[in-house]
Amino acid sequence: MKSFARAFGDQFWIFTAANAEDGFKLLEEHQDEIGLLMTDQRMPGDKGVRLLEKTRQLRPGIVRVLATAYADMEAVIAAVNTARFTNTSPSPGTRRSWK
């Protein structure tokens, strides 16, 4: 996510968190300011799918993106079925440029 912040930080307000719990707290605190939530599937604590699910319950209209560097089809299927995510993306570290 740091790569994403560096690429787009001059165009958008970008909030980052080290884990899902902190990310959800940021969302609760800034929910009227956040229109897109991008999360990695693998991070400390809850998985990205769980964060997307909790986000959908709090803000059903927010755009939700699951980033993963792994071919974890179970995670993608879970995201579709439970979190109803918006999109998947390779993790920023796996791409040369976001622009």
Side-chain angles (χ1 to χ4, degrees):
M1 296 302 139
K2 291 178 183 177
S3 298
F4 189 84
R6 280 193 303 272
F8 295 105
D10 59 339
Q11 300 169 36
F12 303 98
W13 287 2
I14 297 176
F15 300 94
T16 60
N19 57 57
E21 182 180 342
D22 290 347
F24 192 73
K25 286 178 187 174
L26 277 172
L27 180 63
E28 288 178 316
E29 293 169 11
H30 300 278
Q31 61 181 296
D32 294 332
E33 303 166 56
I34 297 174
L36 179 140
L37 181 116
M38 177 182 275
T39 182
D40 198 343
Q41 170 60 7
R42 295 186 181 185
M43 62 182 136
D46 280 345
K47 301 287 185 218
V49 169
R50 178 69 182 126
L51 177 58
L52 294 176
E53 182 181 352
K54 289 171 60 177
T55 299
R56 182 178 65 87
Q57 293 169 1
L58 179 68
R59 292 271 319 277
I62 197 170
V63 175
R64 296 176 303 280
V65 178
L66 177 68
T68 183
Y70 304 93
D72 190 348
M73 284 308 295
E74 286 183 29
V76 173
I77 291 168
V80 170
N81 292 333
T82 62
R84 295 189 182 108
F85 73 103
T86 305
N87 203 347
T88 59
S89 173
S91 285
T94 64
R95 300 186 87 177
R96 288 190 167 212
S97 173
W98 278 91
K99 290 185 177 183

